[in-house]
C-alpha cells in the first residue's frame, strides 16, 4: 500500500463524526436492509471513508450496478471484526498481522465477505472479498486509493 494513501487515510480518520444526513440518504438508496445494518455497525470513520470511495467509484464507473456500488460502501465492513481504534490500526499497519485482532484487521476483505455472504448479491460479496479480478474490481481499488 502506498505511503501517501496511508497518510491521507490516517488524517481523514481522526474525526469520529457521523456521516451527514445527505450522505446517509445516499447510503440508504444503495444498500439493502441487511447491508445497511452491517454498514451501520462500522465505525463512523469507516462509514465516511466508504462514502468517499463510493463517490469516487461512481465518477470512475457511472454505469456501475447496485451490487458494485454496494461493494464500494461495504469494502471495509470486515474491519469491524478486529474492533481496532485509530492508533491500534496504525500500529497494526506498521507491525503486520501479529495477534488475532491485528490479523483480523489485515484479513478484513475475507471477513467482510463472510459477514455479508447471506445478505448481499454474490457480485458484492466477490468484490468485497477481493476474489474477482476484473475492470470493476480495479476501479473499486482505484477509488479506495485515496
Amino acid at each position: 500500500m502506498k505511503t501517501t494513501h496511508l497518510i491521507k487515510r490516517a488524517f481523514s480518520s481522526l474525526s469520529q463524526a457521523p456521516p451527514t444526513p445527505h450522505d446517509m440518504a445516499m447510503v440508504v438508496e444503495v444498500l439493502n436492509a441487511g447491508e445497511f445494518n452491517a454498514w451501520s455497525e462500522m465505525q463512523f470513520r469507516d462509514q465516511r471513508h466508504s462514502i468517499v470511495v463510493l463517490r469516487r467509484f461512481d465518477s470512475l464507473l457511472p454505469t456501475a450496478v447496485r451490487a458494485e456500488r454496494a461493494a464500494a460502501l461495504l469494502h471495509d465492513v470486515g474491519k469491524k471484526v478486529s474492533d481496532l481504534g485509530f492508533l491500534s490500526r496504525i500500529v497494526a499497519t506498521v507491525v503486520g498481522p501479529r495477534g488475532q485482532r491485528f490479523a483480523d484487521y489485515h484479513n478484513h476483505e475475507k471477513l467482510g465477505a463472510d459477514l455479508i455472504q447471506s445478505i448481499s448479491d454474490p457480485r458484492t460479496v466477490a468484490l468485497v472479498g477481493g476474489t474477482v479480478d476484473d475492470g470493476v474490481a480495479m476501479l473499486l481499488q482505484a477509488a479506495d486509493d485515496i
Side-chain angles (χ1 to χ4, degrees):
M1 194 174 279
K2 295 189 294 188
T3 305
T4 54
H5 167 79
L6 296 174
I7 292 169
K8 286 180 184 178
R9 180 75 195 270
F11 279 110
S12 70
S13 295
L14 285 172
S15 169
Q16 252 303 65
T20 67
H22 174 75
D23 288 342
M24 290 298 291
M26 180 177 59
V27 171
V28 168
E29 179 184 304
V30 174
L31 299 179
N32 69 36
E35 292 168 339
F36 181 78
N37 288 337
W39 182 88
S40 295
E41 293 174 1
M42 292 168 47
Q43 295 179 20
F44 288 149
R45 64 178 50 99
D46 292 329
Q47 291 176 1
R48 288 191 327 272
H49 167 72
S50 75
I51 292 165
V52 170
V53 171
L54 175 60
R55 284 194 175 112
R56 288 180 54 126
F57 181 67
D58 283 347
S59 71
L60 294 170
L61 186 63
T63 60
V65 297
R66 191 212 70 85
E68 295 162 344
R69 296 180 76 220
L73 287 169
L74 295 167
H75 74 279
D76 282 339
V77 72
K79 288 184 178 179
K80 70 181 183 178
V81 174
S82 69
D83 197 32
L84 296 179
F86 176 76
L87 291 177
S88 297
R89 287 178 176 201
I90 292 171
V91 173
T93 300
V94 173
V95 303
R98 298 180 187 183
Q100 188 61 53
R101 290 176 67 203
F102 284 14
D104 287 347
Y105 181 74
H106 283 276
N107 196 27
H108 74 275
E109 287 180 337
K110 182 187 179 323
L111 293 171
D114 291 346
L115 284 171
I116 64 169
Q117 181 71 42
S118 65
I119 58 174
S120 291
D121 184 279
R123 177 70 169 157
T124 304
V125 175
L127 286 166
V128 168
T131 59
V132 62
D133 186 23
D134 62 14
V136 173
M138 290 173 52
L139 291 173
L140 182 54
Q141 180 61 46
D144 186 31
D145 192 14
I146 55 175

